Amino acid sequence: MPSEHTSGTVHLHRPGVSLVIDAAGPGLPEIRHWGPELGDADAAYVARRPDEPSAINTPDPAVPVAVLPEAGTGHMGRPGLRGHRAGAAWSSAFTLTATSVTADAATFTALDERTGLELVTHVELAPSGLARLRHTVTNTGGTPYTVDALEVAVPVPAHADELLDFTGRWARERHPQRRAFDHGAWVRESRRGRTGHDATIGLVAGTRGFGHRTGEVWAVHVAWSGNHVTYAQRLPERRSTLGGGELLLAGEVILAPGESYESPWLYAAYSGAGLDGIGAAFHGWLRSRPGHPDAPRPVVLNTWEAVYFDHDIDRLRGLADVAADLGVERFVLDDGWFTGRRDSSAGLGDWYVDPDVWPDGLHPLVDHVTGLGMEFGLWVEPEMVNPDSALFRAHPEWVLRPADGVLPPPGRRQQVLDVSHPDAYAYLLERLDDLLRAYRIAYLKWDHNRDLVDAGHHGRAAVREQTRAVYRLLAELRRRHPHVEIESCSSGGARIDLEVLEHTARVWASDCNDALERQAIQRWTGLFVPPELVGAHVGPPRSHTTARTHDLSFRVATAVFGHFGLEWDVTTATADERAALRTAIAGYKDLRPVLHGGTVVRGDHPDPAAWVHGVVAPDRATAVFAYVQLATSVDAVPAPWRMPGLDPDRVYRVTVLPEFGRPATTGRIDPAWYGSGPVEVGGRVLGTVGLHPPVLAPEQALLVRLDAVGPASDGGVR
């Protein structure tokens, strides 16, 4: 869609969404409208509409809320730039000096002679409707300037009066929490040195009661894998904003004359039809990137919950034999292969194949796995080091620490390697590069198993430099080995953000493979990340993390809506379990084009004990839906199962997918369609009226496939 730049109005728009920016000056540009798509004439009116009235004891005239809010304009909320020049030049007052507009982006340049700073703000609007914004500040003065914060702010309207964000912990990531959008600031900080288990993957404001398919919603995400902040703020003057950026520790950014600091991207999405529209914007943008995986996502078997540290070559060969027979396409050797690594207390940092366990190197296993037609993958944790390791004993100075001679508190009996240290960086690059050259490795499971505590370099805070160094290391490895895929794993899902996804091909959503917990973890991770990028594995019958036991059908039905895999000693599976897995894997491969290329939809089902979700192909000719019974319901008869996102003018054949198991039911009589074979139903009926599901036992799931068979004649059942 074209942009309009007339008399200071910048209008970026895509189907369903407009960004209208008042760039008439003299101050910084202000987003006057972020929401439903407007015509150019309406956008011009919105941009130049008269200032709002001012009230007693408020600035006169009304204060604009620019993309960088400034106290110097009378803004009484959170300023976008916080910094100083030796205690002075602490309040900015930028003047807009240049505007550059293209079809889908705008760049604004501003100067502030008082503080000696230049500010460049870049705004883009992608075809999916996802916007992203960032600032760059440059020190144009003659003395150092300390940047304490540089955050982007975007407005939301007064009728957005409810907030949704996320928290969590290890093995229970991305738990939703809702609250009223009241006066004041709701600030979510992550000071863990990585994205964080408890970090909110996004912050959503919406009309009261918004759901997956209903309500207007506005969402932001900070794309940064280190310390970061996301906030929502509402002032009594009825100014409401969402914003965020990097959370800088003391002294992390001190700009010498001529130096610049660039903030992380703040991604922002609007939807007039609930959270599914937010997901579509984020998924569409991620899928449009040049580096997005374009090959079918291979079925994975990871060895961790199968063998743990017991790296016996014969046992692993036997596991690979069974995996290949089941249809697995990628076999990943997890922790325990390198020098001294018999448990988690030692060896991290010594990235050499352990000759005591692997006297012939990894070649016997790699050759066996690839000879079976599978790819070989390997687990690494490059950013960490055990004090009980040759590396630590040789180079204790390579550890992040607040001061010389002082170590941070240990975590998991390990410390954090200072990747920004040139020698440590060179060592890691050499070791990983050597492994990737020596063996036919197609995949690295890149782990990161502890928070950064008291992380310093030469006495200065160093989380920012550590994060940037890790990005450089990932980028260089990908440059040297473009065929190797890397997964972002961080003791499960503690490093999931759009910037780490610029360097990786998949994220591990959680160390918890319990299917009931995974339903929620994957549901909310999937609001921002499409299913093909989210690792989802079938664990053993009894969960490693929760000790809960689930039927195989429920475990499979949960994992199939992601990048599917196994994390289970399948050599211990019964013949019936192996047959069921073989069938399920074949079914997953058949459905991959839809699952990993379609539109994710989630129904607003009236019963909180049951969830509805699915994926609809772009042409809406095929879809896969799940009805998930999480717990027992207070209702004896379930509410109809409505399937959103279909073409209302087509008839669909609805087929139960037995390849993913037959869920246990508790009703006396199942609905007629469920036991009678495929039925043909109009898309309008399926979306607005629905089908009655059978009465499922708790922790069971039913999957169906929908195939369009023709136009609807009367919209009903054939």
Side-chain angles (χ1 to χ4, degrees), residues 288-359:
S288 71
R289 300 169 303 152
H292 189 76
D294 55 4
R297 312 311 297 133
V299 177
V300 175
L301 184 137
N302 185 279
T303 65
W304 178 242
E305 291 190 26
V307 302
Y308 298 102
F309 290 105
D310 183 14
H311 282 202
D312 176 81
I313 182 62
D314 291 330
R315 184 180 181 188
L316 288 165
R317 280 178 176 144
L319 183 61
D321 290 340
V322 175
D325 177 67
L326 296 176
V328 169
E329 298 162 307
R330 175 181 286 165
F331 185 92
V332 181
L333 182 66
D334 210 285
D335 195 358
W337 57 269
F338 48 96
T339 304
R341 190 66 166 177
R342 303 284 61 79
D343 57 38
S344 63
S345 67
L348 277 177
D350 298 341
W351 300 110
Y352 298 86
V353 178
D354 194 328
D356 294 334
V357 180
W358 300 93

